[in-house]
Amino acid sequence: MALLSVITAPDARLKAKSLPVDGVDGEVRALMDNMLETMYSAPGVGLAAPQVGVHSRVIVIDIAEKDATPEPFRLANPEIDWASEETILCEEGCLSVPEYFAEVSRAQSIRLRYLDYDGKDRELEPEGKLAACIQHEIDHLDGVLFIDYLSVLKRRIILRKLIKARKLQAQKIPA
Ligand code: GNR
Ligand code: NI
C-alpha cells in the first residue's frame, strides 16, 4: 500500500469529470486500498480518486468514530438513483480545501448503486452523515467542491487564502 498526495484547490484537476471504470480489477482495488490508507492518514472520512489525480469514478469512505471498529466503504461507479426531498445541513470540510468548514444542504437519504471491491453490483440506502459524505464524494467525481455551494464572495475569499498559503509554502521549501 502507498500514501498518495492530495491535490488542493484551486486546481483544474479538481474541476474535471471522472470516467466510469470498466470493472473492478487489481488496479482499481489497489487504488481503493491506497486511497483508504491516504484517507485514514490525513485523517478524513472520505476521499475521491480525482483528489489524488486519478479521474476514475472511485470513492472511499469511513465515517466510524476514531476508537470504533473501522467501517470502510470502497465504491466504484456510484450512481444515486433516488434522493429524498428532505434535506440536512452538514458541517463539511474537504482535504482539497484545507482548514475551511461550511454548512452544506444535502439530501437526508439517498439510494445508490455501485460496484464493490469484488466488482459486484450493489445497492445502498444511506442516510444522515453517511449519505451526506457520499454526496460530497460523488460531487468530486463531477468536478464539484463543497465551496461551489457557497456564495461567489465566500468562495473567492477561500480560494484567495488557499493561493496565498500555497505561495508561502513554496517560499519555505527551497527549490
Ligand atoms: O474529511 C472530510 N470530512 C467531511 C466532513 C463532512 C462532510 C464531508 C467530508 S469529506 C472530507 C474528506 C474529503 O475531502 N473528501 O472528499
Ligand atoms: Ni472532499
Side-chain angles (χ1 to χ4, degrees), residues 43-48 51 90-96 129 133 136-137 140:
V45 297
L47 192 66
Q51 291 181 277
C90 188
E91 174 89 354
E92 299 198 6
C94 180
L95 295 173
S96 297
K129 189 173 180 192
C133 192
H136 174 117
E137 302 313 334
H140 276 300

Side-chain angles (χ1 to χ4, degrees), residues 70-128:
E71 288 173 44
F73 286 91
R74 301 165 175 90
L75 319 186
N77 301 349
E79 274 201 66
I80 294 173
D81 57 18
W82 174 83
S84 65
E85 276 178 35
E86 192 188 339
T87 56
I88 44 165
L89 277 180
C90 188
E91 174 89 354
E92 299 198 6
C94 180
L95 295 173
S96 297
V97 187
E99 290 169 43
Y100 291 91
F101 300 87
E103 282 197 329
V104 176
S105 170
R106 301 284 187 185
Q108 201 276 334
S109 349
I110 55 176
R111 188 179 65 210
L112 66 150
R113 297 186 59 169
Y114 64 97
L115 299 178
D116 71 8
Y117 197 67
D118 301 312
K120 272 211 324 213
D121 219 320
R122 284 189 178 271
E123 256 186 25
L124 194 65
E125 283 200 42
E127 46 184 59

Side-chain angles (χ1 to χ4, degrees), residues 22-160:
D22 281 334
V24 181
D25 57 10
E27 195 181 330
V28 171
R29 273 194 285 273
L31 173 65
M32 288 168 162
D33 290 337
N34 290 335
M35 283 170 59
L36 261 187
E37 192 185 357
T38 304
M39 182 196 84
Y40 286 132
S41 125
V45 297
L47 192 66
Q51 291 181 277
V52 295
V54 179
H55 289 90
S56 299
R57 302 188 76 84
V58 171
I59 65 178
V60 296
I61 290 175
D62 191 337
I63 63 156
E65 300 288 331
K66 249 198 276 168
D67 342 287
T69 317
E71 288 173 44
F73 286 91
R74 301 165 175 90
L75 319 186
N77 301 349
E79 274 201 66
I80 294 173
D81 57 18
W82 174 83
S84 65
E85 276 178 35
E86 192 188 339
T87 56
I88 44 165
L89 277 180
C90 188
E91 174 89 354
E92 299 198 6
C94 180
L95 295 173
S96 297
V97 187
E99 290 169 43
Y100 291 91
F101 300 87
E103 282 197 329
V104 176
S105 170
R106 301 284 187 185
Q108 201 276 334
S109 349
I110 55 176
R111 188 179 65 210
L112 66 150
R113 297 186 59 169
Y114 64 97
L115 299 178
D116 71 8
Y117 197 67
D118 301 312
K120 272 211 324 213
D121 219 320
R122 284 189 178 271
E123 256 186 25
L124 194 65
E125 283 200 42
E127 46 184 59
K129 189 173 180 192
L130 182 57
C133 192
I134 290 173
Q135 290 169 77
H136 174 117
E137 302 313 334
I138 293 178
D139 270 353
H140 276 300
L141 304 181
D142 295 317
V144 175
L145 300 175
F146 81 95
I147 53 172
D148 294 331
Y149 297 110
L150 310 181
S151 68
V152 176
L153 185 62
K154 275 189 188 163
R155 181 163 63 248
R156 215 184 276 158
I157 291 169
I158 293 171
L159 289 174
R160 265 203 210 157

